[in-house]
């Protein structure tokens, strides 16, 4: 770097701000305000700052330092926010693993991510964790801490062992902090590394479009292994000194009194849950007047006021936007620049978007190409995937593998994925992962997976299977059960069709269009589908 005029080199720390600095600052700016609520736990910003200091020291004492990794195997908890704050103060990274993983997927994540510390939950998933640990064997030397217990070997005992003093480590805001494993690429999941800068930029831009501030009380009912819960509106509320209310998992009957008692202003809820809440509250009669309907607003009609923010009035809560984990959530929405011809909207203030052809040249308006992104929201790449990263960062842009078009008015249309993807509720399913699982069955020669429309959940998974000629009799239920024990339950086929051979394209690839036509496939993400992109 060139010296500034006068020849004096400034102290670089004066120009850095990390996620840990947000906690430090809020301790001073909001000394009496509550930062986190989780059941009986209520932490003010000063209490959160001290606990993250203790946890940071305990992690350091356990050998966790710059670039090291901590894996969370549990459901939603205030402790995930504590881990992010602590890791931010020492330059480490945290991955909230998918608690619905099957044991082989969980074991894969441990091996792939290589954490020094694993924090796990016994309730609901203890059996899966035990199977994963057995599969890993004794060679994996991580420290395992159980969070839903007390005493030796527990998260709380570990945290209490650390000093309350600030660790005072100089951390670069462009290092990874949050790692989220995304849907499979070439048959296996990959951890998207999001930096301090990514999260702070997202927190600022999303707060602007959602009118999020220190007065916000956000019900974080969405899964903490998913970027949606952080963007809408966990991180914006956190960054602006608001209150995050965490629930372990979604149970509609338990959410109503919580929404009322904590006077939540925002919530991350899926349409089926919203419909349940509206029906339940007709009898319960809770006062929800402080809650704003920002997602699927028509479902709330007559129950809570409609959100008047830019996000909602420009269609964000109804799917007018495009994003993926790798660009820290929405990179394009209708909130930026108002409505237009494109179904996704325009890029936000920290983002540039180009629609490129295969040579890296920009496609003219009206011509489809790959959506590519540059800016402060683009992730650092996938953990431990150098070849994929090199491919996806070519020409100086992040290649989303999604098809789009720049319209004549400057807006962006999302047209679909260049790699096939299915959608079940809010979850993304990549056929390659499910096909790999099915084809690991000894009787299966090959398989293809398509999506068939489901009015409530968007799509159901259908498998089309070819058996070996000499295979023993295999039923559809055998295929489903084979998948149930190896991949997350939502990915397993709902139905199975057996055929003599799969249709092929002229390049001998599996002909998914022919399979869709024969077996009723459709409803793939794209066009006006809620939550375009991934």
């Amino acid at each position: 770097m060139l010296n500034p005029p006068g020849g004096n080199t400034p102290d670089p720390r004066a120009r850095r701000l990390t996620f840990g600095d947000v906690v430090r600052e809020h301790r001073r700016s909001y000394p009496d305000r509550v930062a986190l609520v989780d059941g009986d736990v209520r932490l003010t910003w000063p209490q959160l700052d001290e606990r993250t200091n203790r946890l940071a020291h305990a992690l350091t004492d356990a050998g966790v330092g710059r670039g090291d990794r901590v894996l969370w195997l549990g459901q939603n908890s205030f402790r995930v926010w504590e881990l992010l704050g602590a890791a931010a103060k020492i330059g480490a990274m945290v991955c909230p693993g998918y608690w619905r993983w099957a044991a082989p997927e969980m074991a894969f994540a441990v091996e792939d991510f290589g954490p020094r510390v694993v924090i796990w939950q016994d309730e609901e998933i203890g059996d899966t964790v035990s199977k994963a640990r057995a599969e890993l064997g004794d060679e994996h030397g991580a420290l395992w801490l159980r969070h839903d217990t007390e005493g030796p070997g527990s998260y709380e005992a570990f945290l209490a062992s650390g000093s309350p003093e600030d660790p005072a480590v100089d951390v670069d805001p462009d290092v990874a902090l949050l790692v989220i494993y995304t849907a499979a690429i070439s048959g296996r999941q990959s951890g998207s590394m999001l930096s301090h800068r990514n999260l702070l930029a997202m927190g600022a831009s999303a707060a602007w479009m959602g009118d999020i501030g220190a007065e916000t009380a956000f019900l974080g009912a969405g899964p903490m292994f998913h970027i949606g819960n952080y963007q809408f509106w966990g991180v914006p509320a956190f960054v602006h000194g608001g209150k995050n209310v965490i629930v372990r998992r979604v149970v509609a009957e338990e959410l109503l009194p919580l929404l009322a008692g904590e006077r939540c202003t925002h919530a991350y809820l899926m349409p089926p849950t919203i419909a349940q809440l509206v029906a339940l509250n007709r009898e319960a009669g809770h006062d929800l007047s402080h809650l704003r309907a920002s997602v699927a607003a028509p479902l709330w009609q007559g129950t809570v006021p409609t959100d008047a923010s830019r996000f909602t009035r420009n269609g964000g809560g109804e799917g007018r936007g495009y994003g993926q984990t790798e660009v820290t959530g929405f990179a394009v929405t209708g909130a930026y620049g108002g409505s237009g011809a494109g179904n996704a909207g325009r890029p936000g203030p920290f983002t540039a978007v180009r629609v490129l052809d295969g040579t890296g040249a920009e496609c003219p308006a009206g011509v489809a190409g790959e959506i590519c992104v540059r800016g402060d929201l683009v992730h650092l790449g996938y953990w431990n995937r150098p070849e994929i990263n090199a491919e996806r960062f070519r020409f100086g842009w992040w290649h989303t593998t999604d098809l789009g078009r720049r319209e004549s008015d400057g807006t962006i249309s999302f047209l679909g994925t260049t790699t096939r993807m299915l959608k079940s509720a809010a979850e993304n399913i990549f056929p390659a992962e499910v096909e790999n699982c099915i084809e690991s069955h000894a009787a299966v020669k090959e398989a293809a997976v398509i999506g068939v429309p489901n009015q409530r959940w968007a799509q159901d998974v259908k498998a089309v299977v070819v058996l070996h000629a000499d295979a023993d009799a295999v039923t559809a239920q055998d295929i489903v059960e084979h998948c149930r024990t190896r991949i997350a339950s939502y990915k397993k086929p709902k139905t199975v069709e057996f055929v003599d051979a799969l249709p092929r394209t002229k390049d001998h690839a599996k002909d998914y269009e022919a399979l869709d036509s024969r077996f009723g496939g459709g409803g793939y993400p794209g066009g006006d589908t809620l939550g375009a992109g991934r």
Side-chain angles (χ1 to χ4, degrees):
M1 178 194 293
L2 294 176
N3 289 338
N8 296 318
T9 303
D11 188 330
R13 292 175 298 179
R15 303 185 64 249
R16 291 178 176 175
L17 188 74
T18 68
F19 201 80
D21 290 326
V22 170
V23 181
R24 294 178 175 110
E25 180 57 37
H26 288 350
R27 175 178 192 153
R28 294 160 173 81
S29 295
Y30 304 110
D32 300 321
R33 292 201 176 180
V34 173
L36 300 175
V37 175
D38 186 348
D40 295 333
V41 175
R42 304 183 70 83
L43 295 179
T44 64
W45 286 106
Q47 289 170 328
L48 177 60
D49 187 49
E50 180 177 321
R51 283 178 63 87
T52 55
N53 287 344
R54 288 186 180 276
L55 185 55
H57 281 289
L59 289 169
T60 300
D61 293 343
V64 178
R66 297 176 192 271
D68 288 327
R69 296 159 301 285
V70 178
L71 178 63
W72 171 270
L73 295 178
Q75 294 166 315
N76 289 1
S77 171
F78 72 98
R79 294 181 173 120
V80 176
W81 288 107
E82 288 186 337
L83 282 166
L84 288 171
K89 291 180 176 182
I90 59 174
M93 58 183 102
V94 176
C95 173
Y98 190 15
W99 63 269
R100 293 192 184 102
W101 274 332
E105 293 174 305
M106 195 173 283
F108 168 79
V110 175
E111 287 187 312
D112 185 61
F113 195 51
R116 285 189 176 271
V117 175
V118 180
I119 299 166
W120 66 283
Q121 175 180 311
D122 185 61
E123 186 173 0
E124 290 199 52
I125 64 171
D127 183 56
T128 304
V129 173
S130 295
K131 290 177 181 176
R133 293 183 72 174
E135 190 170 318
L136 288 164
D138 297 329
E139 67 277 4
H140 194 278
L143 172 65
W144 290 71
L145 301 168
R146 181 178 160 189
H147 95 90
D148 55 344
T149 190
E150 297 179 355
S154 71
Y155 172 96
E156 285 298 329
F158 179 75
L159 181 148
S161 71
S163 166
E165 300 301 317
D166 194 304
V169 176
D170 184 24
V171 175
D172 184 345
D174 286 315
V175 299
L177 173 58
L178 173 64
V179 179
I180 295 178
Y181 270 76
T182 66
I185 298 169
S186 302
R188 64 175 181 173
Q189 297 199 18
S190 297
S192 172
M193 298 184 291
L194 302 176
S195 70
H196 300 247
R197 189 182 304 278
N198 291 151
L199 294 174
L200 297 182
M202 177 263 276
S205 59
W208 176 86
M209 67 180 179
D211 289 343
I212 303 299
E215 71 287 350
T216 297
F218 170 64
L219 178 71
M224 297 186 80
F225 54 74
H226 195 290
I227 192 62
N229 197 66
Y230 295 97
Q231 180 164 33
F232 305 116
W233 306 91
V235 169
F238 195 94
V239 167
H240 285 78
K243 177 173 67 174
N244 271 276
V245 181
I246 300 101
V247 292
R248 184 170 63 87
R249 62 178 304 172
V250 173
V251 179
E253 292 81 359
E254 297 174 3
L255 295 184
L256 276 176
L258 194 59
L259 286 165
E262 294 296 335
R263 300 188 63 79
C264 292
T265 59
H266 296 75
Y268 187 81
L269 299 165
M270 291 295 101
T273 303
I274 294 172
Q276 281 184 282
L277 292 171
V278 170
L280 287 168
N281 207 46
R282 291 194 189 105
E283 300 230 351
H286 289 285
D287 178 11
L288 301 179
S289 59
H290 39 276
L291 184 63
R292 296 291 179 265
S294 55
V295 175
L299 293 178
W300 286 107
Q301 192 167 13
T303 303
V304 305
T306 299
D307 181 20
S309 72
R310 298 175 183 88
F311 174 76
T312 301
R313 68 176 183 255
N314 287 314
E318 297 300 320
R320 188 176 174 80
Y322 167 79
Q324 55 182 206
T325 302
E326 295 89 337
V327 294
T328 328
F330 273 10
V332 179
T333 81
Y336 303 126
S339 60
N343 64 17
R346 293 180 173 86
F350 297 99
T351 309
V353 171
R354 296 289 184 273
V355 178
L356 303 182
D357 65 17
T359 69
E362 183 174 8
C363 298
V367 176
E370 185 177 9
I371 299 174
C372 298
V373 184
R374 173 186 289 173
D376 285 350
L377 295 183
V378 174
H379 74 160
L380 301 177
Y382 298 115
W383 167 256
N384 200 26
R385 302 285 188 274
E387 297 86 1
I388 296 175
N389 291 336
E391 169 69 14
R392 299 286 292 277
F393 277 108
R394 66 191 186 279
F395 307 131
W397 294 85
W398 170 251
H399 289 248
T400 66
T401 73
D402 288 327
L403 196 67
R405 181 178 61 231
R406 177 84 69 173
E407 306 296 352
S408 60
D409 65 356
T411 55
I412 302 292
S413 287
F414 168 68
L415 304 177
T417 59
T418 59
T419 56
R420 286 173 62 91
M421 182 179 76
L422 315 184
K423 194 84 169 180
S424 178
E427 300 298 343
N428 301 327
I429 303 169
F430 277 67
E433 184 181 23
V434 185
E435 290 167 1
N436 286 349
C437 180
I438 296 171
E439 289 171 355
S440 70
H441 191 293
V444 174
K445 180 180 179 181
E446 61 180 349
V449 166
I450 63 173
V452 294
N454 178 301
Q455 188 171 6
R456 183 177 186 187
W457 302 114
Q459 287 181 303
D460 288 333
V461 178
K462 177 183 281 291
V464 184
V465 176
V466 179
L467 300 177
H468 290 293
D470 58 349
D472 294 332
V474 174
T475 67
Q477 193 57 35
D478 292 334
I479 299 297
V480 173
E481 289 302 318
H482 175 80
C483 293
R484 189 192 304 274
T485 60
R486 290 166 174 79
I487 56 177
S489 183
Y490 74 89
K491 302 175 189 175
K492 70 182 186 298
K494 289 288 183 67
T495 55
V496 179
E497 301 282 350
F498 293 97
V499 297
D500 293 331
L502 294 179
R504 298 284 177 174
T505 67
K506 63 181 181 180
D507 298 319
H508 202 63
K510 297 174 184 178
D511 192 339
Y512 290 98
E513 290 187 6
L515 290 169
D516 283 343
S517 178
R518 178 176 174 183
F519 295 109
Y524 296 96
D528 295 326
T529 302
L530 177 64
R534 49 190 172 84

